[in-house]
């Protein structure tokens, strides 16, 4: 099946294994993956570079990563090879030695929770499997070396892990103290990296805690190197360490210096003979626990089992939504990386990537709310945990801390008035998926006061606040900015059509919830609010063919056909008005056609038809510091672009919806890697457009709101399988040419085997559904408890 999906210059999708296989190491930029459990997180590039940390990337960094470096992904988890006869050396991850690619064979399998790098050079094949087991704060590098030459080979391997001095800021700024205070030592085969980390808040409040990290191997080392300067040598770098050149390990690991974990193993391999070495790099409580913690994974069978657990865990979670359609490209991305990326953002927010330093952003309120929407069925418990943190990031007046750091009890309020509107959407989605109505009654904190309130009370406070924060025309005020962070004109009271449409979606969700839990009076009150904003959007907010973007306090309009020097149309409010149900279908179709006409392009839809060219911080905002055609300034900002897929699906235009999905999806990017540059297998934040000098360049991959929305768009709107309070809604919006599709979906523990037939070749509309052979009215499969899989047949077609 996967063979029919075209291969790209640097790699291809292996559908059966849910992997992207990188076939050459010199990708346009490093291409990353995440290896993690609930505590330990490792970012790893296709040549093994990247940071790692435990729990909190600000305080507990284990492996160092030099941002803005050349090459980008240094240092890494290297495994050097050395031929002790020829004195030649290279690296099993290609980097950092960068052996001539014409002379070596390389492959990196980017998998769910692992990377497997295979490298062959001069008759020696190495394979390193990198992964993080689920039960320990460590990463495993599982190396097998095979002699595929015809000669006996005398070899050495040298591992390389460069330790950071824990606190990310300390590591960067405290250049004198950090290395001087390092307490590294070599003990019984382990390099122990230890030093005091100041987890206090400043000079007047220091709080030193001693941390321990280690690097250890399953086989007894022949020698070791515990100090970076001694290993690399003066005026050299990781590419040509003096120890690799001479073949003589230093056996030096003493306090005061830059600690590394480097173990040498020396051995002989006959032709066809293999050797396996398992390295562990991790965090321990103290010296003793270095040895107790690492005992389990010195054992090969335990490592094999742990790897299968990681793989099996992902297979199970991603297998809760598995689709087979006539479109192999759609299937390969939706069954693997669309879900995988959304699973990462829902847990990592914007914390750490090759663009995010892991310090500055904490948990973004609006981002994390949206991040939960895509993969709730895969990670309901994680979702609940994060949603609880978000609920507790509300102030007593219902406003949200735009960024919060729950581990450090830090909450930063910033006045983005869209924030509090997101929560209801997320909480309702959680209850729909899990049926956990009890959550509404849980009593959670507010920021800064002792008194707690139920989750439901929190939600009402958000809605009340939104209602209060209305402007002159009665629409929702923007505050500092709405979803578009950089459109921040400074007049907090300007009105945002985007936030107004968002309010309608949020209120609609709340109304549905309140109806289910039976609070009639509240329904009426919320309905009135919804109706009022709906009306205002279509009067004050309407520009004739589309919605305006912002109404300034002095009456000027952002995004209007009357504008000459600035944009006439902005993307964001248009698809949201469709989601909000505030516009008639006929009008909406014309509106989205206009969006396509003015904003549509090969990569998706641009944020606006004309970017800002003149710096104007006071009147427009920080979007004017961005070059025209990138980021929020008129690029295809993928997060917003993906809303068009949802909106078109809602209108039943399945062909358009799919076309827009394809513009943005991974298989498309895979065919233009040199222009796209960043990982093709996951979505990135934006794609540059004219007048920027490159059209189609991607930046800021992995941790973007696009992740969740591509999952929502494809799974919940194109395939149309949505969890609702009373069951599973099947409401596909597909290309008319599809004869149907097959879907497996696990919903509240029950596996539904759903066959959708489309004999009349419609894009939307379900004629009838049979559940276990019994015909039901409508397109909602009612939830009922059972342990057995349930067979469902859905027949699409015109309603009579
Ligand atoms: C970034 C931010 C997100 C914001 C978007 C548009 O992705 O993380 O919060 O909505 O930019 O400005």
């Amino acid at each position: 099946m996967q063979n029919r999906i075209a291969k790209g210059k640097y790699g291809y999708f292996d559908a059966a294994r849910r992997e992207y296989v990188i076939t050459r190491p010199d990708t346009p930029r490093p291409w990353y993956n995440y290896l993690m459990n609930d505590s330990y997180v490792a970012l790893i590039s296709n040549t093994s570079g990247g940071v790692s940390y435990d729990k909190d990337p600000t305080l507990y960094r284990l492996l160092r990563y030099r941002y803005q470096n050349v090459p980008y992904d240094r240092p890494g988890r290297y495994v050097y090879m050395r031929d002790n006869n020829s004195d030649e050396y290279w690296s099993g991850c290609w980097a950092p030695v960068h052996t001539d690619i014409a002379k070596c064979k390389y492959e990196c399998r980017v998998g769910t929770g692992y990377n497997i790098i295979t490298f062959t050079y001069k008759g020696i094949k190495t394979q390193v499997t990198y992964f993080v087991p689920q039960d320990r704060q460590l990463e495993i590098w599982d190396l097998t070396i095979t002699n595929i030459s015809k000669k006996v080979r005398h070899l050495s391997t040298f591992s390389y892990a460069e330790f950071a001095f824990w606190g990310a800021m300390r590591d960067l700024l405290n250049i004198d103290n950090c290395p001087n205070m390092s307490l590294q030592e070599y003990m019984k085969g382990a390099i122990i990296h230890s030093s005091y980390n100041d987890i206090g808040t400043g000079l007047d409040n220091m709080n030193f805690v001693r941390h321990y990290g280690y690097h250890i191997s399953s086989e007894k080392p022949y020698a070791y190197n515990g100090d970076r300067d001694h290993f690399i040598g003066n005026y050299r770098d990781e590419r040509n360490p003096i120890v690799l050149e001479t073949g003589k390990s230093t056996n030096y690991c003493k306090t005061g210096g830059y600690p590394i974990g480097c173990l040498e193993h020396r051995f002989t391999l006959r032709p066809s003979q293999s050797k396996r070495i398992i390295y562990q790099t991790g965090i321990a409580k103290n010296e003793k626990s270095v040895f107790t913690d690492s005992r389990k994974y010195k054992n090969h069978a335990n490592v094999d089992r742990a790897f299968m657990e990681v793989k099996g865990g992902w297979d199970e979670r991603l297998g809760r939504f598995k689709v087979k359609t006539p479109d192999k490209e759609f299937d390969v991305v939706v069954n693997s990386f669309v879900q995988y990326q959304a699973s990462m953002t829902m847990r990592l927010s914007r914390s750490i990537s090759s663009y995010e330093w892991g310090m500055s952003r904490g948990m973004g309120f609006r981002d994390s709310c949206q991040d939960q929407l895509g993969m709730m069925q895969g990670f309901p418990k994680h979702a609940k945990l994060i949603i609880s943190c978000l609920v507790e990031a509300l102030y007593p007046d219902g406003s949200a801390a735009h960024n919060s750091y729950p581990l450090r009890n830090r909450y930063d309020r910033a006045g983005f008035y869209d924030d509090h509107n997101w929560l209801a959407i997320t909480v309702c989605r959680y209850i729909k998926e899990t049926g956990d109505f009890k959550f509404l009654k849980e009593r959670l904190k507010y920021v800064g006061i002792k008194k707690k309130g139920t989750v439901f009370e929190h939600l009402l406070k958000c809605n009340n606040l939104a209602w209060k924060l209305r402007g002159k025309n009665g629409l929702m005020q923007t505050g500092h900015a709405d979803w578009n962070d950089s459109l921040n004109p400074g007049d907090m009271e300007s009105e945002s059509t985007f936030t107004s449409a968002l309010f309608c979606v949020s209120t609609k969700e709340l109304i549905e919830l309140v109806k289910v839990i039976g609070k009639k009076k509240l329904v009426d009150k919320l309905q009135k609010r919804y109706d009022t904003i709906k009306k205002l959007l279509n009067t004050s907010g309407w520009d004739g063919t589309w919605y305006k973007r912002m109404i300034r306090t002095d009456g000027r309009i952002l995004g209007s056909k009357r504008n000459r020097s600035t944009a006439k149309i902005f993307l964001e409010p248009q698809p949201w008005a469709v989601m909000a149900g505030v516009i008639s279908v006929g009008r909406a179709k014309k509106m989205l056609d206009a969006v396509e006409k003015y904003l549509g392009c090969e990569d998706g839809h641009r944020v606006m038809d004309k970017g800002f060219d003149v710096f104007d911080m006071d009147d427009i905002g920080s979007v004017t510091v961005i070059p025209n055609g990138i980021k929020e300034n008129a690029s295809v900002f993928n997060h917003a672009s993906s809303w068009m897929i949802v909106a078109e699906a809602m209108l039943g235009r399945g062909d358009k919806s799919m076309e827009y999905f394809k513009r943005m999806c991974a298989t498309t990017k895979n065919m233009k890697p040199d222009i796209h540059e960043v990982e093709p297998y996951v979505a990135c934040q934006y794609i540059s457009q004219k007048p920027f000098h490159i059209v189609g360049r991607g930046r800021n991959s992995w941790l973007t709101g696009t992740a969740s929305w591509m999952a929502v768009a494809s799974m919940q709107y194109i395939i149309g399988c949505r969890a609702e309070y009373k069951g599973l809604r099947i409401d596909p919006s597909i290309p008319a040419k599809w004869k149907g599709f097959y879907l497996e979906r696990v919903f509240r523990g029950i596996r539904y085997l759903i066959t959708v037939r489309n004999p009349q070749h419609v894009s939307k509309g379900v004629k009838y559904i049979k559940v276990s052979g019994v015909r039901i009215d409508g397109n909602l499969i009612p939830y009922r408890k059972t342990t057995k899989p349930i067979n469902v047949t859905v027949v699409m077609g015109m309603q009579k």
Side-chain angles (χ1 to χ4, degrees), residues 361 366-367 483-485 632 637 685:
R361 300 190 59 181
R366 81 158 75 90
D367 287 347
W483 171 85
N484 189 333
D485 269 345
E632 284 96 335
F637 206 90
Q685 187 195 61

Side-chain angles (χ1 to χ4, degrees), residues 350 356 361 364 366-367 370 402 418 422 482-487 631-632 637 639 643 685 700 703-705:
R350 305 296 168 272
E356 304 281 0
R361 300 190 59 181
R366 81 158 75 90
D367 287 347
Q370 293 172 79
H402 190 61
D418 66 314
W422 293 100
D482 59 24
W483 171 85
N484 189 333
D485 269 345
S486 64
L487 210 54
K631 292 202 77 116
E632 284 96 335
F637 206 90
H639 181 166
W643 295 332
Q685 187 195 61
N700 204 338
L703 302 185
T704 150

Side-chain angles (χ1 to χ4, degrees), residues 566-604:
T566 56
K568 295 185 188 321
I569 174 169
F570 282 76
L571 173 60
E572 304 97 314
Q574 327 304 340
W576 273 87
V578 177
M579 291 187 229
V582 297
I583 181 168
S584 70
V585 171
R587 213 182 197 195
K589 285 182 179 165
K590 282 193 194 128
M591 175 180 78
L592 294 194
D593 287 345
V595 173
E596 168 67 352
K597 181 172 165 200
Y598 292 104
L599 308 180
C601 61
E602 186 184 314
D603 294 302

